[in-house]
Amino acid sequence: MKEKTIDFDLVADLYDFYVNADLDLEFFLRETEGVDSPILELMAGTGRVSLPLLQRGRKLFCVDYSREMLQRLRNKTAPFGKNLETREADVRDFRFDRTFERILLPFHSLSEITDASDQKQVLKSVRNALSENGIFLLTLQNPNVRLKNADGLTRPMGEFPLPDERKLVLSYWNSYDPNRCIVTGIQFYEIYDSKNILMEKRFLPIRFRPIFQEQIYEYLHELDYEIVSVYGDYSYSPFEEDTSPFMIFKLGK
């Protein structure tokens, strides 16, 4: 397995307390409606998307390289075990021995792969794993919006309640290097008890490679994907290069 670009094992026990976004769940539920065969979810993490899909009767094959994150996914989805298969694997190396009618890469995670050739290899592997009439849902951040906060300044991410009257205070900084096309940074974790006494500090190094519109279209053209639709958010708004928060691709073969 290659080096992890972000070692989520370091914060897997805290992840679900601060990553609870649901802005994309209705989109994925709608786009997987009527799919009876297993759905491939790449970089699935602790199951933020997986659990709602399983609760609505979907069958999933979930892949992630973080053992700790994947174990939490398994724990949360235990009642749906018959509809779930998991695999601890790095999507940069993993080759699929079956095809899928629907493939998901949620939460803009392709950017966590920081080598451009690896990004393209993942997209190639996904295309090979897509059934003839299948759909690949690829989600990306829009760098023209996201990089406005990659300026080296420390910013708060929020305060989040933890069990036993504790709280998590989270902040981060990001910095973009245009020469390497890489964002580096750190997320800072501070855990306080009920009396606001600091109990623990952690930090998580962050590294990701934003994918600009021109680059993703080059990848998709070279790999012979069919671009079915492109949206700027999870409400199916048209993509606007300067203002849309996301680039959401609906892709076929």
Side-chain angles (χ1 to χ4, degrees), residues 7-189:
D7 189 359
F8 284 109
D9 283 350
L10 298 174
V11 295
D13 60 319
L14 300 174
Y15 189 84
D16 286 338
F17 293 105
Y18 70 91
V19 179
N20 45 29
D22 60 3
L23 74 167
D24 54 355
L25 297 183
E26 284 301 319
F27 174 84
F28 287 119
L29 286 166
R30 187 178 298 114
E31 293 296 331
T32 57
E33 189 74 40
V35 179
D36 296 323
S37 58
I39 296 162
L40 175 61
E41 183 186 355
L42 302 172
M43 305 174 80
T46 64
R48 183 187 63 85
V49 172
S50 319
L51 182 57
L53 290 177
L54 290 165
Q55 289 171 334
R56 295 285 284 272
R58 312 298 192 263
K59 301 179 180 71
L60 294 179
F61 185 107
C62 293
V63 178
D64 201 280
Y65 71 10
S66 169
R67 178 171 300 178
E68 295 296 327
M69 299 277 273
L70 206 54
Q71 185 57 53
R72 279 162 174 76
L73 183 153
R74 295 183 185 115
N75 292 343
K76 289 194 295 186
T77 58
F80 307 96
K82 63 183 178 63
N83 285 338
L84 174 66
E85 184 177 351
T86 62
R87 188 71 54 83
E88 182 187 340
D90 191 324
V91 295
R92 293 172 293 182
D93 302 318
F94 193 48
R95 301 295 178 266
F96 307 100
D97 57 3
R98 68 180 94 169
T99 59
F100 298 85
E101 183 182 348
R102 198 71 84 248
I103 299 178
L104 318 179
L105 212 172
F107 224 33
H108 329 116
S109 299
L110 185 63
S111 294
E112 293 173 15
I113 298 169
T114 55
D115 184 274
S117 62
D118 283 342
Q119 289 179 339
K120 189 162 67 173
Q121 179 58 51
V122 169
L123 293 174
K124 181 179 180 180
S125 296
V126 169
R127 191 186 185 286
N128 291 338
L130 199 60
S131 65
E132 196 58 40
N133 296 310
I135 292 293
F136 173 33
L137 299 169
L138 171 64
T139 68
L140 300 171
Q141 292 178 330
N142 179 3
N144 293 332
V145 174
R146 176 64 179 85
L147 292 180
K148 291 177 181 178
N149 287 339
D151 54 8
L153 298 179
T154 300
R155 288 182 165 84
M157 289 179 66
E159 296 186 7
F160 307 90
L162 299 176
D164 302 321
E165 299 184 54
R166 298 172 301 154
K167 68 178 178 182
L168 169 66
V169 178
L170 193 55
S171 58
Y172 75 98
W173 68 262
N174 292 159
S175 181
Y176 178 59
D177 181 346
N179 295 317
R180 297 190 302 136
C181 299
I182 298 292
V183 173
T184 56
I186 294 177
Q187 288 181 355
F188 301 97
Y189 299 72

Side-chain angles (χ1 to χ4, degrees), residues 215-232:
Q215 183 69 74
I216 190 62
Y217 274 92
E218 181 181 317
Y219 289 163
L220 297 176
H221 176 73
E222 183 176 340
L223 297 171
D224 199 28
Y225 273 99
E226 177 194 1
I227 300 176
V228 179
S229 303
V230 186
Y231 308 115

